[in-house]
Amino acid sequence: MKYICYCDMVTEEDIVNAIKKGARTLKDIKNMTGAMTHCDCKNKNPKGT
């Protein structure tokens, strides 16, 4: 499993599924997956970014 958004535990698969279900913009993806809504990357992302 590859996380794209550690803060909201959104995986690459979640994003691909959102696109398959009709997401066409970043806003659509954010709305459908919850990605990038609780930013705490410095603490949750292993890379610290």
Side-chain angles (χ1 to χ4, degrees):
M1 178 176 344
K2 181 179 179 182
Y3 286 105
I4 302 301
C5 177
Y6 286 90
C7 298
D8 294 300
M9 306 302 284
V10 177
T11 65
E12 182 176 22
E13 183 179 354
D14 294 330
I15 293 172
V16 169
N17 287 335
I19 293 168
K20 287 179 181 178
K21 291 179 182 177
R24 295 293 173 250
T25 66
L26 181 57
K27 184 176 180 179
D28 292 342
I29 291 170
K30 287 172 66 175
N31 289 338
M32 293 173 81
T33 65
M36 302 183 329
T37 57
H38 301 96
C39 293
D40 191 20
C41 294
K42 287 184 180 182
N43 295 314
K44 294 185 178 178
N45 187 329
K47 296 178 184 175
T49 58

